Amino acid sequence: MEENEKGLPKKILIVEDNQDSRELVVKILKNRGYQLIEAVDGEDALEKAITERPDLILMDISIPKIDGYEVTRMLKSRKEFKYTPIIALTAHAMKGDREKAMESGCEGYIAKPINIHELPEQIKPYLKEK
Ligand code: MN
């Protein structure tokens, strides 16, 4: 099990407005022993990130109120999030999405639909570096 410096399971914030997708990610990652926090839109994401201080953020880009790129920009402008990995989740397999995610400050990018078998391995490297 992945633990943080306090010996507690690592905390992951999943930002996703689609309930089914969100619950699927929660289920898979809770099974792997992680602590999960959920946010349903951009404002909720900012609030939960600031109050919960997750070890990793999975950020859907298309979310209500404030999009995922902007939320990432806002978080990365705060020094406490400088080393918090933010991984963009986007359904648009459009060229330039990866660049846009990186420009906004995301450390990584996962194209949707999420592969439930690959997700735990995809996030692992981001939880190691601190
Ligand atoms: Mn969405």
Side-chain angles (χ1 to χ4, degrees):
M1 187 167 68
E2 299 284 337
E3 294 180 343
N4 66 16
E5 58 284 353
K6 291 175 199 148
L8 294 167
K10 284 204 171 163
K11 202 186 265 187
I12 299 174
L13 171 63
I14 169 72
V15 182
E16 170 64 77
D17 58 324
N18 180 280
Q19 189 181 348
D20 291 340
S21 310
R22 196 174 63 245
E23 284 175 354
L24 184 65
V25 169
V26 168
K27 194 178 154 203
I28 302 158
L29 297 180
K30 270 191 174 170
N31 271 336
R32 297 294 179 119
Y34 295 109
Q35 222 185 129
L36 270 291
I37 310 295
E38 301 172 52
V40 299
D41 61 46
E43 285 176 6
D44 193 22
L46 281 174
E47 192 189 310
K48 298 273 170 62
I50 292 162
T51 56
E52 298 283 347
R53 299 295 309 278
D55 297 290
L56 174 81
I57 301 174
L58 295 173
M59 181 76 73
D60 180 21
I61 292 307
S62 298
I63 46 172
K65 297 184 184 175
I66 312 170
D67 76 31
Y69 296 128
E70 191 55 30
V71 174
T72 300
R73 252 177 240 119
M74 291 163 90
L75 290 174
K76 289 295 183 182
S77 72
R78 303 169 69 108
K79 63 176 184 302
E80 69 265 41
F81 289 98
K82 196 177 169 196
Y83 300 109
T84 306
I86 302 181
I87 303 178
L89 307 175
T90 172
H92 332 124
M94 281 182 4
K95 220 176 141 192
D97 263 15
R98 173 175 260 281
E99 289 71 18
K100 263 162 112 181
M102 297 305 165
E103 270 166 31
S104 69
C106 290
E107 277 77 8
Y109 171 96
I110 295 174
K112 286 197 201 175
I114 287 168
N115 182 319
I116 58 165
H117 304 290
E118 287 176 7
L119 182 65
E121 289 306 315
Q122 286 174 315
I123 66 167
K124 242 182 194 169
Y126 297 98
L127 285 161
K128 300 254 189 278
E129 53 191 79
K130 249 283 149 78

